Structure formats: C-alpha cells, structure tokens
Amino acid sequence: MLDHTHCRFDHLFDGGDLSCSALVTALKECFDTLSPNDVVYVTAKDGGAVIDVPAWCISTGHILLEKQPPNYLIRKRST
C-alpha cells in the first residue's frame, strides 16, 4: 500500500469523496499553485478516481509515479 509516511513528496492533497468533475477541478487548482517537478501525494476515495486520476495525468502531462487506490503519487510536469 502506498503510505504517505514512507514516501517523499512536497504536498498532500486530500480529494476525499469528490467525484469526477469536482475532483479534477480541485486537482487543477492545487497543481496550478505548484512549482515544476513538485510531487503530490493524492488521496481520492471516490470509486471513479481509479480511472479519473490517471486520465487527468495523461491529459495534463503530469506524471503518475505510483497508483495504489485510493492513493496516488503525481509529479507536476516540468513546463
């Protein structure tokens, strides 16, 4: 299990039970404030997050480093 106490990251994002559009909107707002290459530990408990989070990473160019639902480790794209 991806455990935030045992991995390195710069920011913690708790998406709770946010569903698709609310989750990706909140992720965008979070990532807009970050520096390039920052790593974010994301928790997203909604059942659709297992599809939504990786798809959001692909569409935005951010790098999904690890996926162990409900937890994800994402690096902000460098540019």
Side-chain angles (χ1 to χ4, degrees), residues 2-79:
L2 182 59
D3 179 1
H4 76 279
T5 61
H6 294 99
C7 48
R8 297 183 65 186
F9 58 90
D10 302 299
H11 305 277
L12 183 62
F13 174 88
D14 186 357
D17 292 325
L18 292 175
S19 61
C20 182
S21 61
L23 176 61
V24 298
T25 298
L27 280 169
K28 181 193 179 311
E29 290 172 357
C30 171
F31 273 70
D32 283 349
T33 67
L34 305 179
S35 298
N37 296 311
D38 277 0
V39 175
V40 181
Y41 184 95
V42 174
T43 299
K45 296 178 183 172
D46 180 74
V50 69
I51 295 169
D52 297 336
V53 172
W56 179 79
C57 289
I58 290 169
S59 70
T60 60
H62 301 306
I63 301 162
L64 182 61
L65 299 172
E66 196 164 345
K67 170 181 139 182
Q68 293 183 9
N71 303 310
Y72 307 83
L73 207 57
I74 304 171
R75 175 175 288 126
K76 183 174 178 171
R77 68 179 182 264
S78 59
T79 57

